[in-house]
């Protein structure tokens, strides 16, 4: 990529274009023909693969000759059809045509320096309100960190959000990056985030080739990160068909460096960065001008997406990752107490994944009074209640005799049997503390 400016967010580009699309005028036959030729000229001169560019131009010129665009007088509709056509050769989702008209006075829709500065200030205010797309940063059961963010924003502005998130999760045993709705952004943010998960030695992450000026830009892990490096923490990345561009780079890089496990669906398949070009007084083209070149595969994820290690639905990806993380952590630990901790949370998640159906006869046997505690059954559901007011809590089965206490995943109720007779119950927490209550005989 020639300049940092070419890495501007795709959503920002679309926003600016939408800024000027309030009115549409029908196109003349001449305008349609001139638009096709102008789009083809830019693609032929700028598109990252010259051979494919020639094929794209040949296709749209052939379509023009065959009347494919005849009668498409609505400029937005023409942009939509052209986008479909130029993507049809090699399915490059970064390649698009936009309706972007001049204003009524014939002036280009490009903002003045002053207006652009004001616009960018408003965009930055919006970015801050959106916390630079960091939606959730939390610690899940089993000491697993979780980060859900929607875009790789410019670290020049978003680095504080990253630093805060990484510091918060610095004592976790594993981290899950939820990129299922992440549309991409800046490779510099990919570089910053990745750098936390390696030691100080420089690691080559990726290279971007730019056709326009025949240059290549390499990205390596940074020699310094603000906060604690986590080279040994286990990493899991959730992907879906909506995971795109820089989010795919992050996933692809860490996958082939054998640093992270990818779980979910094949990602969107956009590995070609680019920039926009005004092709007429009404249309712009966003064309891929470069491509990612991974130093390990010497290739990228264009068109095929990042292929997960564990394929599952977008909906099930998180619970699958949590189970995989807990099982893996258990496998590398030799401390029995810690493994009991992981087993506890594995049991809870499996019960969520596949709800346990306890026979009604067993549930009925659990009903009764246990010292100052009582267990009741309502519509096939057990409830726990102490002698304190408003203490009634739903019990959810983990297995036939073990139940989760309300929404607290670190507390359970275990019913104790002797010769198939319920003799009492035990309250127990994840750290092993327990209290036993004998069931009243009456």
């Amino acid at each position: 990529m020639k300049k940092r400016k070419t890495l501007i967010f795709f959503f920002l580009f679309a926003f600016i274009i939408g800024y000027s699309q309030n009115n549409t005028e029908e196109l003349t036959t001449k305008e349609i023909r001139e638009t096709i030729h102008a789009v083809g000229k830019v693609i032929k001169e700028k598109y990252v693969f010259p051979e494919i560019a020639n094929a794209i131009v040949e296709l749209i010129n052939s379509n023009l000759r065959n009347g494919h665009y005849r009668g498409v007088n609505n400029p937005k509709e023409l942009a939509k059809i052209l986008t479909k056509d130029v993507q049809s050769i090699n399915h490059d989702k970064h390649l698009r045509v936009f309706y972007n008209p001049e204003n009524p006075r014939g002036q280009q829709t490009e903002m003045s320096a002053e207006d652009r500065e004001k616009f960018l200030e408003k965009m930055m205010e919006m970015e801050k309100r959106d916390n630079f797309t960091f939606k959730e940063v939390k610690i899940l059961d089993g000491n697993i960190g979780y980060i859900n963010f929607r875009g790789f924003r410019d670290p020049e502005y978003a680095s504080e959000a990253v630093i805060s998130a990484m510091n918060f999760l610095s004592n976790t045993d594993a981290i899950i990056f939820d990129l299922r709705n992440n549309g991409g952004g800046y490779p510099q943010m990919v570089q910053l985030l990745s750098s936390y998960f390696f030691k100080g030695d420089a690691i080559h992450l990726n290279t971007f080739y730019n056709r326009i000026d025949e240059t290549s830009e390499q990205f390596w892990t940074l020699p310094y990160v603000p906060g604690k490096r986590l080279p040994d923490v286990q990493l899991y990345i959730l992907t879906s068909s909506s995971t795109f561009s820089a989010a795919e780079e992050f996933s692809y890089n860490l996958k082939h460096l054998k640093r992270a496990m990818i779980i979910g669906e094949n990602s969107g398949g956009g590995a070609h960065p680019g920039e926009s070009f005004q092709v007429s007084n009404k249309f712009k083209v966003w064309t891929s001008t470069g491509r990612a070149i991974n130093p390990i595969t010497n290739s990228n994820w264009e068109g095929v997406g990042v292929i997960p290690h564990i394929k599952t639905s977008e909906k099930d990806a998180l619970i699958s990752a949590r189970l995989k993380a807990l099982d893996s952590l258990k496998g590398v630990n030799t401390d029995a107490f810690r493994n009991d901790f992981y087993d506890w949370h594995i049991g809870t998640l499996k019960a969520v994944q596949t709800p346990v159906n306890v026979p009604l006869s067993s549930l009925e046997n659990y009903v009764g009074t246990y010292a100052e505690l009582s267990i009741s059954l309502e519509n096939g559901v057990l409830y726990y209640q102490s002698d304190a007011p408003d203490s009634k809590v739903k019990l959810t089965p983990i297995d036939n005799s073990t139940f989760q206490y309300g929404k607290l995943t670190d507390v359970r109720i275990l019913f104790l049997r002797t010769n198939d007779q319920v003799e009492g119950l035990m309250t127990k927490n994840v750290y092993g503390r327990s209290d036993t209550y004998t069931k009243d005989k009456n």
Side-chain angles (χ1 to χ4, degrees), residues 1-275:
M1 282 173 239
K2 184 176 181 181
K3 297 179 182 179
R4 186 180 180 86
K5 293 297 183 184
T6 64
L7 303 175
I8 189 170
F9 301 139
F10 187 80
F11 88 91
L12 176 57
F13 169 66
F15 188 94
I16 294 172
I17 288 176
Y19 187 73
S20 59
Q21 291 190 10
N22 297 324
N23 299 303
T24 60
E25 296 179 1
E26 287 195 353
L27 299 170
T28 66
T29 301
K30 180 182 178 182
E31 285 179 314
I32 295 173
R33 183 175 64 254
E34 290 176 345
T35 298
I36 305 303
H37 291 320
V39 168
K41 184 175 185 296
V42 167
I43 291 175
K44 189 169 185 176
E45 292 177 354
K46 311 293 185 182
Y47 189 68
V48 58
F49 297 114
E51 300 83 1
I52 294 174
N54 290 335
I56 292 172
V57 173
E58 182 179 340
L59 172 68
I60 61 176
N61 285 339
S62 174
N63 287 347
L64 177 62
R65 291 192 300 270
N66 295 333
H68 181 65
Y69 308 113
R70 187 180 295 123
V72 187
N73 305 116
N74 184 293
K76 291 182 180 179
E77 186 64 23
L78 179 62
K80 181 179 178 180
I81 293 172
L82 278 174
T83 295
K84 181 179 179 181
D85 288 347
V86 299
Q87 288 183 356
S88 66
I89 297 296
N90 69 329
H91 310 290
D92 187 336
K93 296 178 183 179
H94 276 123
L95 187 57
R96 302 184 67 84
V97 180
F98 293 93
Y99 172 53
N100 184 49
E102 295 176 343
N103 66 32
R105 295 181 181 179
Q107 297 173 338
Q108 287 292 336
T109 57
E110 295 293 335
M111 299 179 186
S112 67
E114 182 180 355
D115 287 342
R116 180 174 177 79
E117 186 66 27
K118 290 179 180 178
F119 177 78
L120 291 176
E121 285 179 4
K122 290 182 179 179
M123 289 296 297
M124 189 52 56
E125 289 176 7
M126 184 184 75
E127 286 288 298
K128 289 179 179 178
R129 288 196 301 271
D130 197 40
N131 198 36
F132 298 96
T133 80
F134 279 76
K135 300 299 182 183
E136 287 184 277
V137 180
K138 59 185 178 181
I139 299 176
L140 302 172
D141 291 337
N143 198 33
I144 297 173
Y146 173 81
I147 301 180
N148 178 352
F149 66 112
R150 307 297 172 83
F152 284 74
R153 300 302 190 238
D154 188 344
E156 182 177 346
Y157 307 104
S159 59
E160 287 187 5
V162 174
I163 295 166
S164 296
M166 295 307 302
N167 285 340
F168 180 70
L169 301 180
S170 63
N171 293 313
T172 53
D173 297 328
I175 294 177
I176 296 172
F177 281 95
D178 192 342
L179 306 185
R180 288 176 292 181
N181 293 294
N182 193 306
Y186 286 78
Q188 288 85 356
M189 179 59 87
V190 173
Q191 180 185 39
L192 173 59
L193 264 176
S194 301
S195 298
Y196 276 92
F197 301 107
F198 295 92
K199 296 178 180 179
D201 296 339
I203 303 295
H204 189 184
L205 298 171
N206 202 8
T207 297
F208 286 100
Y209 162 78
N210 183 278
R211 178 195 170 185
I212 295 176
D213 55 10
E214 293 291 332
T215 59
S216 294
E217 182 178 6
Q218 294 184 348
F219 285 86
W220 295 68
T221 53
L222 300 171
Y224 167 79
V225 293
K228 180 181 176 182
R229 288 186 182 270
L230 302 171
D232 300 316
V233 71
Q234 295 189 14
L235 293 183
Y236 300 86
I237 300 173
L238 311 184
T239 57
S240 76
S241 59
S242 297
T243 307
F244 198 63
S245 194
E248 295 179 280
E249 186 205 339
F250 182 74
S251 306
Y252 191 89
N253 293 350
L254 295 184
K255 174 185 177 181
H256 290 287
L257 285 166
K258 301 186 185 303
R259 186 62 190 87
M261 177 170 286
I262 316 301
I263 298 176
E265 301 172 343
N266 282 21
S267 61
H272 295 162
E275 54 189 295

Side-chain angles (χ1 to χ4, degrees), residues 64 297 337 441:
L64 177 62
T297 66
F337 177 81
K441 299 299 183 181

